[in-house]
Amino acid sequence: MHVVVGSRERGVQRVPGVGAEFKWKQGLAGFGDRRRPTFGYARRVRVFEGGDRNWVGEEIEMKVQGVEEFVSVHGVLLASAGVPPSLHEKLFHKLSADVFDGGRLFQIEPCEGGRQRRLVLASDGGLRKHEDVFLVDHAWSFRLSQARSQLEQVPGLVERMAALMCVGDEVEGEGSVEEDDVEEGEQDGTPKEQADVEAMISAAVAAADERGEKLQWLELDELDINDEELRRLNLAVKCPDLVGLSLWGNPLESVDAVMDTVAGLSNLRALWLNQTPVALNKDDELREAFGKMLPHLEIYNSMLTDKYGLWAIGFCAGIFGALQPGLPFTEDHVLKDITSLDLSERDLQTLSPHVFNPEELPNLTSLNLQGNPLAGESAESLLATVQTLKTLTSFQVDITRRLGSAASIAEALPFVTELNGHPRDKFVGGGDEELNSNRRPRLPQFSKEDPLIDRVMSAMWQYILTYRLADEEKLDETPIWYVMDELGSSIRHSDAPNFQIAPFMYLPDGTLQSAISYSLLWPVQDVVSGEECTRDYLFGIGEDQQRSSRLAAWFDISSEIFNQAYEAHMSELKQPVVSKAIVCNDSSTSSILPPDGRPLSVYTDIPGMSDFLTRPEFKLVEEASEADIVWTHMQVDDEFRKEAGLKPHQYVNQFPSESCIVMKHNLAETMQKAYGTPAWLQPTYNMERQLAALLGDYLQREEQNQNNLWIVKPWNMARTIDTSIVGSLPALARLVETGPKIGQKYIEQPALYKGRKFDLRYIVLLRSLEPLEIFVCDVFWGRFSNNQYTTETNSLSEYETHFTVMNYGRTMNHLDTHTWVPEFEKEHNVDWKDIHKRVKDVLREVFQGAAAVHPEMKSSTSRAIYGVDIMLDASFQPKLLEVTYCPDCARACKYDVRNVLGDGELMKGSEFYNNIFSCLFLNELKNISPL
């Protein structure tokens, strides 16, 4: 979203005085105190005490006095946010008095085991559609490059964000500790005595004997039982009739110890070894052994085995368990009372007709199979089994290529009225293919050893939102991200939300300089007391804008959807256009110098160029219409030609359709069409339409434990503006929101110079596409980062570690090419001439590919130079980064450089433009080589 605001003051903390008292459950605390600071960017210092506008800081003259004036000043912003006109008056009064009154009506509750929060309407009277509007504060605003430094430097910020995002030390994560995990006796500093496991087992056996039963269920979870102690328990002798055994969380490491223990438990139907070292490290070996020695094992580590039957389904439905082990069955059709069955994420391979039939499940109305491979049978047999369950009205399953489209599944099950939470009619006849309702939330994963900052940096992608600032002159080049306060951040997603939320800039004195950011929340449906309040995370975004893929930031959507997109993308790249090399420079274009000897007139608006184009064959003129050659940084389109008065015979420094190489997404597409997957082009995706394929690539790399850092770049920004390096799927999915971008595999192992990253800038001259005449300047230069290179997580936002363009507002350490190249050769024991040959091959192929894929580029009155950026990987393979139109050549003109490719001849910077123009227009070569 683009929002017009005024000046920015970094680091301002806004401390509103009007409190909002919230109801909390289970000890969640802190939001009720509205005196907590707002961190990051604010538009004005607004620090005051109490609720009566007694200013402590700078006083603002209030000019917006009434509703009409408020609407007049904020009309565009109100329309952009979508605020109903009926709420304008209420909004004005709340903004002018800074009223945060959501605490009276809403309640925040923990959910998903404390790893998320949700917002519930607590008002007894409910809320009607468009009845009220609520202010939501922004707790933290930042630019991505400054996020980590703010978390490190602003007191209290990381702690508040960790609590808000449910990744603090008090929240259970992977390997984290809750208060309930602290055992009695440890709180006063003394260790608890080792539990007498044998006594526990004896007591359980005795209790079963008193009931006239055999002990069938035993849970020995997290009792610090090691391999030796497990053997000593001799469970097969003491408890031979066990149906369910749980050893969850014990430090078991030996396969033999586990095998010896369960070997005599022939009736065992369920075994849990979750979070034990032996199950983590030797799971395949255990599964194979259990398959042979435990003939009735239906559940292993919470997953259904290929031997599952009525008992396992009964356990999943809550019929069988510790209180009712369920063996032997007391009557036939034990599943007859089941109406709803959730088998999601049970590693189910087949849908057994011996279990799933109307005799065994006569009353089943809802079946959830999402998150299961179902790889053991065909789509036809699976649907045939489901077709027998005529009582079924709700069916949930991952839509995959193997199972067919949503429409085909809906048509095969005419009695099902709801498919994946959507009305069946939505899909009959070829409706939406992607079903995203009833998605499994992507919960934060962290360890207690992870620094709090790393947890927040990882989890924030599920909480942050973005807008871009502007003033009357231009749009900011980089977006601002923000985190809503605890109320706003607890509103979860729904495809059919009952609330809408939107960012809003309030101008209290009617000017841009006073702008303050909020989010506005209002009901778009009638909401009853106790109902969860939801919003659409991607409001207004449909499948034409990759909605399903973008929702992967918040939900675990089936990986098969992304894998299919990736495979389709790779399949397209197997049919390159260029099958053989194109002949270059087979005929030379003649000099265009007039035969009467008069100089060529040149118009240019390039700064400094007039000081260096000094050959007598060229004469500078003030008007483009009077020139033989027009050399401009402007886009030479029809509008420019008309305004400048250009004629068809005039030469210009642009080729038609050159956007096919100078815009990053087009460059990748052109090279992929030409060559498929050349070694010199990193995997690259246009995130505007190839996000699913990108995420598929990411997931396959993750599965194969490959490096998985990606660089996300705007289509058409220079100097690494708005460029990010990220290593998480949610980050990739969310960065689509900030404008058109490419996602490109980051070169994680580049060649380094004295431990620092660098890239190479080459100047390529294009004289003709038909015939293809391309040249490269012998003058090239290296651009170096300022810091030692590392891929440590905490370095990814450090510009001077990962980027090399330092000549715009940063310290640049210039190194002469003839100085650093010999040192590089010595450091890596390489010959630069070999590297240069590889680079020339890449440069040649870039323009050969463009000529082959885009013949419309050819023009007899075009001549151009391009800046081509190359990076070397650790194997000295050149990698194409980008191609730049009208590159900045100030550095080439400033420094004299010795030619490291020849005899060490001194190439004078002052002659750079003379050499360029001589090649392009006079058919001369000096310090320039043909490609």
Side-chain angles (χ1 to χ4, degrees), residues 636 652-659 661 765-770 773 856-866 885 920:
V636 183
V652 295
N653 64 327
Q654 291 175 30
F655 278 80
S657 302
E658 67 179 12
S659 62
I661 55 173
L765 289 66
L766 182 57
R767 195 159 70 185
S768 170
L769 267 85
E770 194 177 41
E773 298 182 38
E856 69 275 12
M857 278 185 67
K858 66 181 181 181
S859 168
S860 61
T861 56
S862 293
R863 305 282 193 273
I865 67 172
Y866 300 93
Y885 156 73
L920 291 176

PDB file of all heavy atoms in Angstrom, residues 636 652-659 661 765-770 773 856-866 885 920:
ATOM      1  N   VAL A 636      14.315   6.657 -24.548  1.00  0.00           N
ATOM      2  CA  VAL A 636      14.024   7.210 -25.867  1.00  0.00           C
ATOM      3  C   VAL A 636      12.794   6.491 -26.424  1.00  0.00           C
ATOM      4  O   VAL A 636      12.898   5.535 -27.200  1.00  0.00           O
ATOM      5  CB  VAL A 636      15.231   7.066 -26.810  1.00  0.00           C
ATOM      6  CG1 VAL A 636      14.919   7.705 -28.153  1.00  0.00           C
ATOM      7  CG2 VAL A 636      16.464   7.712 -26.192  1.00  0.00           C
ATOM      8  N   VAL A 652      20.757   6.951 -31.657  1.00  0.00           N
ATOM      9  CA  VAL A 652      20.467   7.067 -30.223  1.00  0.00           C
ATOM     10  C   VAL A 652      21.187   5.942 -29.487  1.00  0.00           C
ATOM     11  O   VAL A 652      21.537   4.910 -30.076  1.00  0.00           O
ATOM     12  CB  VAL A 652      18.950   6.997 -29.941  1.00  0.00           C
ATOM     13  CG1 VAL A 652      18.227   8.186 -30.548  1.00  0.00           C
ATOM     14  CG2 VAL A 652      18.359   5.682 -30.446  1.00  0.00           C
ATOM     15  N   ASN A 653      21.395   6.160 -28.195  1.00  0.00           N
ATOM     16  CA  ASN A 653      22.151   5.183 -27.408  1.00  0.00           C
ATOM     17  C   ASN A 653      21.231   4.155 -26.750  1.00  0.00           C
ATOM     18  O   ASN A 653      21.454   3.739 -25.608  1.00  0.00           O
ATOM     19  CB  ASN A 653      23.015   5.885 -26.355  1.00  0.00           C
ATOM     20  CG  ASN A 653      22.182   6.618 -25.321  1.00  0.00           C
ATOM     21  OD1 ASN A 653      21.109   7.126 -25.630  1.00  0.00           O
ATOM     22  ND2 ASN A 653      22.679   6.680 -24.085  1.00  0.00           N
ATOM     23  N   GLN A 654      20.206   3.741 -27.465  1.00  0.00           N
ATOM     24  CA  GLN A 654      19.314   2.698 -26.974  1.00  0.00           C
ATOM     25  C   GLN A 654      18.870   1.840 -28.133  1.00  0.00           C
ATOM     26  O   GLN A 654      18.700   2.336 -29.246  1.00  0.00           O
ATOM     27  CB  GLN A 654      18.085   3.317 -26.291  1.00  0.00           C
ATOM     28  CG  GLN A 654      18.392   4.006 -24.978  1.00  0.00           C
ATOM     29  CD  GLN A 654      17.171   4.694 -24.411  1.00  0.00           C
ATOM     30  OE1 GLN A 654      16.044   4.253 -24.626  1.00  0.00           O
ATOM     31  NE2 GLN A 654      17.381   5.784 -23.699  1.00  0.00           N
ATOM     32  N   PHE A 655      18.668   0.553 -27.818  1.00  0.00           N
ATOM     33  CA  PHE A 655      18.096  -0.361 -28.795  1.00  0.00           C
ATOM     34  C   PHE A 655      16.629  -0.597 -28.453  1.00  0.00           C
ATOM     35  O   PHE A 655      16.254  -0.607 -27.270  1.00  0.00           O
ATOM     36  CB  PHE A 655      18.853  -1.690 -28.788  1.00  0.00           C
ATOM     37  CG  PHE A 655      20.123  -1.652 -29.603  1.00  0.00           C
ATOM     38  CD1 PHE A 655      21.281  -1.091 -29.069  1.00  0.00           C
ATOM     39  CD2 PHE A 655      20.153  -2.154 -30.888  1.00  0.00           C
ATOM     40  CE1 PHE A 655      22.450  -1.051 -29.812  1.00  0.00           C
ATOM     41  CE2 PHE A 655      21.316  -2.109 -31.644  1.00  0.00           C
ATOM     42  CZ  PHE A 655      22.466  -1.554 -31.105  1.00  0.00           C
ATOM     43  N   PRO A 656      15.790  -0.787 -29.460  1.00  0.00           N
ATOM     44  CA  PRO A 656      14.381  -1.085 -29.172  1.00  0.00           C
ATOM     45  C   PRO A 656      14.271  -2.351 -28.323  1.00  0.00           C
ATOM     46  O   PRO A 656      15.052  -3.295 -28.473  1.00  0.00           O
ATOM     47  CB  PRO A 656      13.780  -1.314 -30.572  1.00  0.00           C
ATOM     48  CG  PRO A 656      14.713  -0.647 -31.514  1.00  0.00           C
ATOM     49  CD  PRO A 656      16.074  -0.750 -30.905  1.00  0.00           C
ATOM     50  N   SER A 657      13.320  -2.340 -27.415  1.00  0.00           N
ATOM     51  CA  SER A 657      13.019  -3.521 -26.580  1.00  0.00           C
ATOM     52  C   SER A 657      14.211  -3.980 -25.742  1.00  0.00           C
ATOM     53  O   SER A 657      14.278  -5.144 -25.334  1.00  0.00           O
ATOM     54  CB  SER A 657      12.529  -4.688 -27.450  1.00  0.00           C
ATOM     55  OG  SER A 657      11.385  -4.330 -28.192  1.00  0.00           O
ATOM     56  N   GLU A 658      15.154  -3.079 -25.456  1.00  0.00           N
ATOM     57  CA  GLU A 658      16.300  -3.494 -24.649  1.00  0.00           C
ATOM     58  C   GLU A 658      15.912  -3.793 -23.202  1.00  0.00           C
ATOM     59  O   GLU A 658      16.719  -4.326 -22.431  1.00  0.00           O
ATOM     60  CB  GLU A 658      17.400  -2.437 -24.676  1.00  0.00           C
ATOM     61  CG  GLU A 658      17.034  -1.133 -24.001  1.00  0.00           C
ATOM     62  CD  GLU A 658      18.173  -0.124 -24.034  1.00  0.00           C
ATOM     63  OE1 GLU A 658      19.163  -0.335 -24.762  1.00  0.00           O
ATOM     64  OE2 GLU A 658      18.067   0.877 -23.333  1.00  0.00           O
ATOM     65  N   SER A 659      14.668  -3.510 -22.836  1.00  0.00           N
ATOM     66  CA  SER A 659      14.200  -3.885 -21.497  1.00  0.00           C
ATOM     67  C   SER A 659      14.277  -5.393 -21.290  1.00  0.00           C
ATOM     68  O   SER A 659      14.244  -5.865 -20.151  1.00  0.00           O
ATOM     69  CB  SER A 659      12.767  -3.404 -21.269  1.00  0.00           C
ATOM     70  OG  SER A 659      11.876  -4.017 -22.191  1.00  0.00           O
ATOM     71  N   ILE A 661      16.744  -7.098 -21.413  1.00  0.00           N
ATOM     72  CA  ILE A 661      17.965  -7.433 -20.680  1.00  0.00           C
ATOM     73  C   ILE A 661      18.258  -6.471 -19.531  1.00  0.00           C
ATOM     74  O   ILE A 661      18.976  -6.833 -18.597  1.00  0.00           O
ATOM     75  CB  ILE A 661      19.192  -7.507 -21.612  1.00  0.00           C
ATOM     76  CG1 ILE A 661      19.374  -6.212 -22.403  1.00  0.00           C
ATOM     77  CG2 ILE A 661      19.101  -8.712 -22.532  1.00  0.00           C
ATOM     78  CD1 ILE A 661      20.668  -6.168 -23.212  1.00  0.00           C
ATOM     79  N   LEU A 765      29.863  -2.950 -25.340  1.00  0.00           N
ATOM     80  CA  LEU A 765      29.407  -2.071 -26.418  1.00  0.00           C
ATOM     81  C   LEU A 765      28.625  -2.904 -27.433  1.00  0.00           C
ATOM     82  O   LEU A 765      29.108  -3.944 -27.892  1.00  0.00           O
ATOM     83  CB  LEU A 765      30.582  -1.402 -27.130  1.00  0.00           C
ATOM     84  CG  LEU A 765      31.365  -0.315 -26.368  1.00  0.00           C
ATOM     85  CD1 LEU A 765      32.110  -0.847 -25.163  1.00  0.00           C
ATOM     86  CD2 LEU A 765      32.362   0.351 -27.333  1.00  0.00           C
ATOM     87  N   LEU A 766      27.437  -2.449 -27.757  1.00  0.00           N
ATOM     88  CA  LEU A 766      26.616  -3.120 -28.762  1.00  0.00           C
ATOM     89  C   LEU A 766      26.493  -2.197 -29.972  1.00  0.00           C
ATOM     90  O   LEU A 766      25.889  -1.123 -29.885  1.00  0.00           O
ATOM     91  CB  LEU A 766      25.233  -3.450 -28.195  1.00  0.00           C
ATOM     92  CG  LEU A 766      24.278  -4.200 -29.121  1.00  0.00           C
ATOM     93  CD1 LEU A 766      24.879  -5.511 -29.595  1.00  0.00           C
ATOM     94  CD2 LEU A 766      22.946  -4.450 -28.414  1.00  0.00           C
ATOM     95  N   ARG A 767      27.075  -2.618 -31.087  1.00  0.00           N
ATOM     96  CA  ARG A 767      27.082  -1.788 -32.280  1.00  0.00           C
ATOM     97  C   ARG A 767      25.996  -2.222 -33.270  1.00  0.00           C
ATOM     98  O   ARG A 767      25.448  -1.405 -34.009  1.00  0.00           O
ATOM     99  CB  ARG A 767      28.455  -1.857 -32.941  1.00  0.00           C
ATOM    100  CG  ARG A 767      28.704  -0.769 -33.978  1.00  0.00           C
ATOM    101  CD  ARG A 767      30.177  -0.556 -34.234  1.00  0.00           C
ATOM    102  NE  ARG A 767      30.804  -1.667 -34.944  1.00  0.00           N
ATOM    103  CZ  ARG A 767      32.118  -1.735 -35.187  1.00  0.00           C
ATOM    104  NH1 ARG A 767      32.925  -0.786 -34.741  1.00  0.00           N
ATOM    105  NH2 ARG A 767      32.626  -2.759 -35.837  1.00  0.00           N
ATOM    106  N   SER A 768      25.685  -3.501 -33.259  1.00  0.00           N
ATOM    107  CA  SER A 768      24.681  -3.994 -34.196  1.00  0.00           C
ATOM    108  C   SER A 768      24.191  -5.350 -33.726  1.00  0.00           C
ATOM    109  O   SER A 768      24.949  -6.120 -33.116  1.00  0.00           O
ATOM    110  CB  SER A 768      25.272  -4.114 -35.604  1.00  0.00           C
ATOM    111  OG  SER A 768      24.393  -4.810 -36.469  1.00  0.00           O
ATOM    112  N   LEU A 769      22.903  -5.649 -34.010  1.00  0.00           N
ATOM    113  CA  LEU A 769      22.378  -6.979 -33.748  1.00  0.00           C
ATOM    114  C   LEU A 769      22.287  -7.817 -35.013  1.00  0.00           C
ATOM    115  O   LEU A 769      22.169  -9.033 -34.937  1.00  0.00           O
ATOM    116  CB  LEU A 769      20.979  -6.901 -33.098  1.00  0.00           C
ATOM    117  CG  LEU A 769      20.999  -6.915 -31.563  1.00  0.00           C
ATOM    118  CD1 LEU A 769      21.214  -5.525 -31.028  1.00  0.00           C
ATOM    119  CD2 LEU A 769      19.748  -7.535 -31.008  1.00  0.00           C
ATOM    120  N   GLU A 770      22.315  -7.157 -36.159  1.00  0.00           N
ATOM    121  CA  GLU A 770      22.249  -7.902 -37.422  1.00  0.00           C
ATOM    122  C   GLU A 770      23.118  -7.196 -38.465  1.00  0.00           C
ATOM    123  O   GLU A 770      22.651  -6.222 -39.069  1.00  0.00           O
ATOM    124  CB  GLU A 770      20.803  -8.011 -37.910  1.00  0.00           C
ATOM    125  CG  GLU A 770      20.615  -9.036 -39.016  1.00  0.00           C
ATOM    126  CD  GLU A 770      19.167  -9.166 -39.420  1.00  0.00           C
ATOM    127  OE1 GLU A 770      18.486  -8.125 -39.520  1.00  0.00           O
ATOM    128  OE2 GLU A 770      18.708 -10.290 -39.626  1.00  0.00           O
ATOM    129  N   GLU A 773      27.388  -7.445 -33.523  1.00  0.00           N
ATOM    130  CA  GLU A 773      28.701  -6.861 -33.273  1.00  0.00           C
ATOM    131  C   GLU A 773      28.747  -6.351 -31.835  1.00  0.00           C
ATOM    132  O   GLU A 773      28.075  -5.371 -31.487  1.00  0.00           O
ATOM    133  CB  GLU A 773      28.968  -5.710 -34.252  1.00  0.00           C
ATOM    134  CG  GLU A 773      28.985  -6.144 -35.704  1.00  0.00           C
ATOM    135  CD  GLU A 773      29.305  -4.988 -36.637  1.00  0.00           C
ATOM    136  OE1 GLU A 773      30.151  -4.152 -36.286  1.00  0.00           O
ATOM    137  OE2 GLU A 773      28.683  -4.913 -37.700  1.00  0.00           O
ATOM    138  N   GLU A 856      13.467  -8.258 -32.405  1.00  0.00           N
ATOM    139  CA  GLU A 856      12.920  -6.907 -32.558  1.00  0.00           C
ATOM    140  C   GLU A 856      13.849  -5.843 -31.991  1.00  0.00           C
ATOM    141  O   GLU A 856      13.624  -4.639 -32.174  1.00  0.00           O
ATOM    142  CB  GLU A 856      11.552  -6.800 -31.887  1.00  0.00           C
ATOM    143  CG  GLU A 856      11.539  -6.875 -30.367  1.00  0.00           C
ATOM    144  CD  GLU A 856      11.505  -8.296 -29.808  1.00  0.00           C
ATOM    145  OE1 GLU A 856      11.729  -9.245 -30.600  1.00  0.00           O
ATOM    146  OE2 GLU A 856      11.274  -8.447 -28.603  1.00  0.00           O
ATOM    147  N   MET A 857      14.912  -6.257 -31.315  1.00  0.00           N
ATOM    148  CA  MET A 857      15.889  -5.296 -30.797  1.00  0.00           C
ATOM    149  C   MET A 857      16.703  -4.646 -31.914  1.00  0.00           C
ATOM    150  O   MET A 857      17.281  -3.574 -31.717  1.00  0.00           O
ATOM    151  CB  MET A 857      16.855  -5.973 -29.816  1.00  0.00           C
ATOM    152  CG  MET A 857      16.352  -6.134 -28.403  1.00  0.00           C
ATOM    153  SD  MET A 857      17.640  -6.806 -27.313  1.00  0.00           S
ATOM    154  CE  MET A 857      18.826  -5.451 -27.286  1.00  0.00           C
ATOM    155  N   LYS A 858      16.794  -5.275 -33.057  1.00  0.00           N
ATOM    156  CA  LYS A 858      17.698  -4.772 -34.101  1.00  0.00           C
ATOM    157  C   LYS A 858      17.273  -3.385 -34.578  1.00  0.00           C
ATOM    158  O   LYS A 858      16.089  -3.077 -34.691  1.00  0.00           O
ATOM    159  CB  LYS A 858      17.745  -5.748 -35.265  1.00  0.00           C
ATOM    160  CG  LYS A 858      16.442  -5.892 -36.025  1.00  0.00           C
ATOM    161  CD  LYS A 858      16.587  -6.917 -37.145  1.00  0.00           C
ATOM    162  CE  LYS A 858      15.280  -7.059 -37.936  1.00  0.00           C
ATOM    163  NZ  LYS A 858      15.388  -8.058 -39.002  1.00  0.00           N
ATOM    164  N   SER A 859      18.260  -2.561 -34.806  1.00  0.00           N
ATOM    165  CA  SER A 859      18.021  -1.201 -35.276  1.00  0.00           C
ATOM    166  C   SER A 859      19.306  -0.682 -35.918  1.00  0.00           C
ATOM    167  O   SER A 859      20.391  -0.793 -35.334  1.00  0.00           O
ATOM    168  CB  SER A 859      17.609  -0.285 -34.121  1.00  0.00           C
ATOM    169  OG  SER A 859      17.643   1.069 -34.512  1.00  0.00           O
ATOM    170  N   SER A 860      19.196  -0.103 -37.105  1.00  0.00           N
ATOM    171  CA  SER A 860      20.379   0.407 -37.789  1.00  0.00           C
ATOM    172  C   SER A 860      20.842   1.750 -37.246  1.00  0.00           C
ATOM    173  O   SER A 860      21.944   2.202 -37.560  1.00  0.00           O
ATOM    174  CB  SER A 860      20.086   0.534 -39.297  1.00  0.00           C
ATOM    175  OG  SER A 860      19.009   1.442 -39.510  1.00  0.00           O
ATOM    176  N   THR A 861      20.005   2.410 -36.429  1.00  0.00           N
ATOM    177  CA  THR A 861      20.389   3.725 -35.881  1.00  0.00           C
ATOM    178  C   THR A 861      20.550   3.681 -34.366  1.00  0.00           C
ATOM    179  O   THR A 861      20.338   4.678 -33.680  1.00  0.00           O
ATOM    180  CB  THR A 861      19.348   4.790 -36.269  1.00  0.00           C
ATOM    181  OG1 THR A 861      18.049   4.362 -35.829  1.00  0.00           O
ATOM    182  CG2 THR A 861      19.328   5.015 -37.768  1.00  0.00           C
ATOM    183  N   SER A 862      20.882   2.511 -33.857  1.00  0.00           N
ATOM    184  CA  SER A 862      21.111   2.382 -32.415  1.00  0.00           C
ATOM    185  C   SER A 862      22.546   1.954 -32.164  1.00  0.00           C
ATOM    186  O   SER A 862      23.103   1.110 -32.885  1.00  0.00           O
ATOM    187  CB  SER A 862      20.160   1.352 -31.801  1.00  0.00           C
ATOM    188  OG  SER A 862      18.815   1.786 -31.848  1.00  0.00           O
ATOM    189  N   ARG A 863      23.141   2.554 -31.142  1.00  0.00           N
ATOM    190  CA  ARG A 863      24.443   2.159 -30.608  1.00  0.00           C
ATOM    191  C   ARG A 863      24.317   2.307 -29.089  1.00  0.00           C
ATOM    192  O   ARG A 863      23.688   3.251 -28.607  1.00  0.00           O
ATOM    193  CB  ARG A 863      25.579   3.076 -31.075  1.00  0.00           C
ATOM    194  CG  ARG A 863      25.705   3.221 -32.588  1.00  0.00           C
ATOM    195  CD  ARG A 863      26.395   2.011 -33.208  1.00  0.00           C
ATOM    196  NE  ARG A 863      26.780   2.282 -34.585  1.00  0.00           N
ATOM    197  CZ  ARG A 863      25.985   2.106 -35.637  1.00  0.00           C
ATOM    198  NH1 ARG A 863      24.733   1.679 -35.445  1.00  0.00           N
ATOM    199  NH2 ARG A 863      26.412   2.362 -36.865  1.00  0.00           N
ATOM    200  N   ALA A 864      24.887   1.393 -28.328  1.00  0.00           N
ATOM    201  CA  ALA A 864      24.687   1.496 -26.878  1.00  0.00           C
ATOM    202  C   ALA A 864      25.830   0.858 -26.117  1.00  0.00           C
ATOM    203  O   ALA A 864      26.567   0.009 -26.654  1.00  0.00           O
ATOM    204  CB  ALA A 864      23.363   0.839 -26.475  1.00  0.00           C
ATOM    205  N   ILE A 865      25.993   1.299 -24.893  1.00  0.00           N
ATOM    206  CA  ILE A 865      26.891   0.625 -23.964  1.00  0.00           C
ATOM    207  C   ILE A 865      26.065   0.164 -22.771  1.00  0.00           C
ATOM    208  O   ILE A 865      25.058   0.787 -22.403  1.00  0.00           O
ATOM    209  CB  ILE A 865      28.059   1.521 -23.503  1.00  0.00           C
ATOM    210  CG1 ILE A 865      27.547   2.686 -22.647  1.00  0.00           C
ATOM    211  CG2 ILE A 865      28.862   2.009 -24.697  1.00  0.00           C
ATOM    212  CD1 ILE A 865      28.682   3.486 -22.004  1.00  0.00           C
ATOM    213  N   TYR A 866      26.483  -0.947 -22.163  1.00  0.00           N
ATOM    214  CA  TYR A 866      25.784  -1.526 -21.020  1.00  0.00           C
ATOM    215  C   TYR A 866      26.797  -1.874 -19.942  1.00  0.00           C
ATOM    216  O   TYR A 866      27.920  -2.315 -20.241  1.00  0.00           O
ATOM    217  CB  TYR A 866      25.018  -2.785 -21.428  1.00  0.00           C
ATOM    218  CG  TYR A 866      23.976  -2.547 -22.496  1.00  0.00           C
ATOM    219  CD1 TYR A 866      24.291  -2.719 -23.844  1.00  0.00           C
ATOM    220  CD2 TYR A 866      22.701  -2.131 -22.169  1.00  0.00           C
ATOM    221  CE1 TYR A 866      23.346  -2.493 -24.840  1.00  0.00           C
ATOM    222  CE2 TYR A 866      21.737  -1.900 -23.147  1.00  0.00           C
ATOM    223  CZ  TYR A 866      22.071  -2.081 -24.482  1.00  0.00           C
ATOM    224  OH  TYR A 866      21.132  -1.848 -25.451  1.00  0.00           O
ATOM    225  N   TYR A 885      21.476  -0.289 -18.191  1.00  0.00           N
ATOM    226  CA  TYR A 885      21.464   0.690 -19.283  1.00  0.00           C
ATOM    227  C   TYR A 885      22.181   1.959 -18.843  1.00  0.00           C
ATOM    228  O   TYR A 885      22.074   2.385 -17.691  1.00  0.00           O
ATOM    229  CB  TYR A 885      20.018   1.007 -19.666  1.00  0.00           C
ATOM    230  CG  TYR A 885      19.849   2.349 -20.338  1.00  0.00           C
ATOM    231  CD1 TYR A 885      20.274   2.539 -21.650  1.00  0.00           C
ATOM    232  CD2 TYR A 885      19.294   3.432 -19.650  1.00  0.00           C
ATOM    233  CE1 TYR A 885      20.148   3.769 -22.267  1.00  0.00           C
ATOM    234  CE2 TYR A 885      19.162   4.666 -20.262  1.00  0.00           C
ATOM    235  CZ  TYR A 885      19.582   4.835 -21.572  1.00  0.00           C
ATOM    236  OH  TYR A 885      19.454   6.047 -22.177  1.00  0.00           O
ATOM    237  N   LEU A 920      32.085   2.722 -31.553  1.00  0.00           N
ATOM    238  CA  LEU A 920      30.695   2.652 -31.974  1.00  0.00           C
ATOM    239  C   LEU A 920      30.421   3.393 -33.282  1.00  0.00           C
ATOM    240  O   LEU A 920      29.558   2.972 -34.067  1.00  0.00           O
ATOM    241  CB  LEU A 920      29.792   3.217 -30.872  1.00  0.00           C
ATOM    242  CG  LEU A 920      29.693   2.392 -29.577  1.00  0.00           C
ATOM    243  CD1 LEU A 920      28.835   3.125 -28.553  1.00  0.00           C
ATOM    244  CD2 LEU A 920      29.161   0.999 -29.845  1.00  0.00           C
TER     245      LEU A 920
END
